Amino acid sequence: MRKTKLGVIRPTLRHKKRYILLKLINPMVTMEQKKLFSVFTLSMQKANGVFAQVDANITILDIDSKSKTILIRLNKEYIDEFTGSLFFAQNEIGLIKVLEIKSTIKGI
Amino acid sequence: MIDIVSEKLLEEDNIEKTLLELNIDKLYVCRTIDKKEELSGFTLPIFEKVCLNKSYLLKSPALLSSVKEKGVLTLIAGGSLNANAAALTSKADASLFNPIGSELCFDEGLAELARQNKKTIYFNVNEIRVNQHKAIKQMQFIIPLLKSKGIEMRFVTFAKKVNELVDQTILECFLENFWLEKTTSARFLEGGSIK
């Protein structure tokens, strides 16, 4: 089979990302990536629908169980929707505080 | 950020630390009053960095005359057409708390009354967690109506447990679902007035 090279996505077509740092003040669940991801996606889906949830492309980059912080990357256009949906996520994972929202990972 | 919480919240461990983590520096601690005897014996603990203030949530507007203390935030529980109307027409310095009922009990006439009497309307955001469908549906009607009339609104948690508190950033973004811009909701959460 002939190998074809995947073309690089043009910068104008790429989703712009935002990085959001959350802190769990009173965690009710273990800091497992799988569990947290399912809570975040379900709360996003509950608040904004399945299409917004898929398009937001929520990715958990880092979990620090010592400081109880979670670093998440998502599509820039859905940052407010995601932050608002954390209101519902609190029911399952406990009190959440938004520490920072930055456009680069270096800023956090 | 200013918030109103139930007096039960103060029984939780390390509550001052949690409040400071959420940048809450001014807090109204509310006692629910069913009978006038419950007005006595309400004292607040002293916190180092959080300013605590007293607040009463009256279950009936008839209890208003029993509140003699000055500098206390007095709220009248809404939830029915009569209670909402009584709270908005009262001459006393009392505000309407949570006008959400089992069915819609707020209309343009009541909004006009609130505007004329310069009343502030307090919403319990945790109602959305407890009574989701009705609360969202009614708030989606009431909030834009109050906004169009330039009426003061406050969004409070009335938290009984730590997990019922909400971070200001989350609440600002969440209130966008009710057609409130971030700047407007931030002003409401800080206790400012509409310009």
Side-chain angles (χ1 to χ4, degrees):
Chain A
M1 199 179 138
R2 204 177 136 215
K3 279 185 182 177
T4 51
K5 226 179 181 182
L6 271 175
V8 180
I9 302 168
R10 281 191 292 160
T12 48
L13 294 176
R14 279 187 215 148
H15 280 162
K16 302 288 180 293
K17 305 287 192 299
R18 284 291 177 272
Y19 298 88
I20 178 165
L21 186 67
L22 305 176
K23 183 177 183 183
L24 302 189
I25 294 177
N26 190 20
M28 286 158 61
V29 290
T30 50
M31 302 280 281
E32 282 173 40
Q33 182 158 352
K34 213 173 172 183
K35 172 74 186 162
L36 292 170
F37 179 77
S38 94
V39 172
F40 291 137
T41 49
L42 283 175
S43 60
M44 179 75 180
Q45 196 177 320
K46 187 177 180 178
N48 304 293
V50 69
F51 289 99
Q53 179 240 309
V54 171
D55 219 17
N57 200 10
I58 300 163
T59 316
I60 298 181
L61 296 178
D62 186 39
I63 298 171
D64 187 347
S65 46
K66 205 174 178 184
S67 60
K68 294 169 191 166
T69 52
I70 306 161
L71 180 61
I72 295 169
R73 183 186 68 196
L74 71 153
N75 191 342
K76 176 190 169 183
E77 284 157 35
Y78 292 95
I79 192 78
D80 285 347
E81 283 87 346
F82 175 74
T83 315
S85 75
L86 294 175
F87 182 81
F88 294 115
Q90 279 199 181
N91 290 350
E92 303 211 17
I93 56 176
L95 190 52
I96 303 167
K97 179 175 168 57
V98 178
L99 291 179
E100 275 180 303
I101 299 172
K102 287 278 160 76
S103 55
T104 59
I105 204 162
K106 273 185 184 174
I108 293 180
Chain B
M1 183 184 169
I2 295 174
D3 199 3
I4 300 179
V5 298
S6 166
E7 59 177 332
K8 286 176 191 164
L9 185 77
L10 299 184
E11 292 165 14
E12 299 269 329
D13 300 329
N14 293 328
I15 187 67
E16 188 180 6
K17 195 182 157 199
T18 311
L19 291 170
L20 287 171
E21 276 198 275
L22 290 172
N23 299 333
I24 298 173
D25 49 8
K26 193 176 179 187
L27 192 69
Y28 283 97
V29 182
C30 191
R31 174 177 271 193
T32 309
I33 308 291
D34 276 317
K35 300 168 197 165
K36 66 177 181 181
E37 290 79 34
E38 289 168 344
L39 283 164
S40 58
F42 182 32
T43 48
L44 296 176
I46 296 166
F47 284 177
E48 271 181 39
K49 289 174 185 170
V50 182
C51 175
L52 297 183
N53 296 289
K54 275 189 197 178
S55 165
Y56 291 122
L57 173 61
L58 309 179
K59 283 283 181 189
S60 157
L63 290 163
L64 257 176
S65 56
S66 311
V67 182
K68 303 278 188 244
E69 282 177 79
K70 285 184 180 172
V72 176
L73 177 68
T74 315
L75 304 168
I76 300 172
S80 67
L81 199 57
N82 287 342
N84 289 351
L88 295 174
T89 48
S90 87
K91 293 277 181 279
D93 188 17
S95 306
L96 172 61
F97 180 78
N98 201 22
I100 310 295
S102 55
E103 54 190 29
L104 184 65
C105 50
F106 201 92
D107 59 6
E108 205 157 327
L110 287 180
E112 189 55 34
L113 269 176
R115 192 185 64 79
Q116 283 169 5
N117 295 332
K118 291 177 184 166
K119 293 282 182 185
T120 306
I121 295 173
Y122 288 76
F123 288 91
N124 181 358
V125 288
N126 273 312
E127 187 79 15
I128 293 170
R129 290 201 180 111
V130 182
N131 184 14
Q132 200 169 93
H133 182 74
K134 282 177 183 168
I136 290 178
K137 204 166 183 185
Q138 292 183 28
M139 280 168 86
Q140 279 188 331
F141 169 73
I142 298 170
I143 292 171
L145 175 64
L146 296 176
K147 190 185 156 197
S148 69
K149 300 250 177 204
I151 297 164
E152 282 288 290
M153 287 178 265
R154 298 281 180 272
F155 296 91
V156 298
T157 59
F158 206 74
K160 293 186 178 94
K161 294 174 197 163
V162 172
N163 290 340
E164 289 175 1
L165 292 166
V166 187
D167 180 36
Q168 185 173 350
T169 318
I170 296 175
L171 200 49
E172 274 172 28
C173 292
F174 183 70
L175 290 174
E176 282 187 54
N177 293 312
F178 298 103
W179 300 282
L180 286 176
E181 301 83 28
K182 262 187 179 180
T183 46
T184 316
S185 54
R187 209 182 302 133
F188 288 145
L189 296 173
E190 294 290 351
S193 58
I194 303 176
K195 284 172 189 168

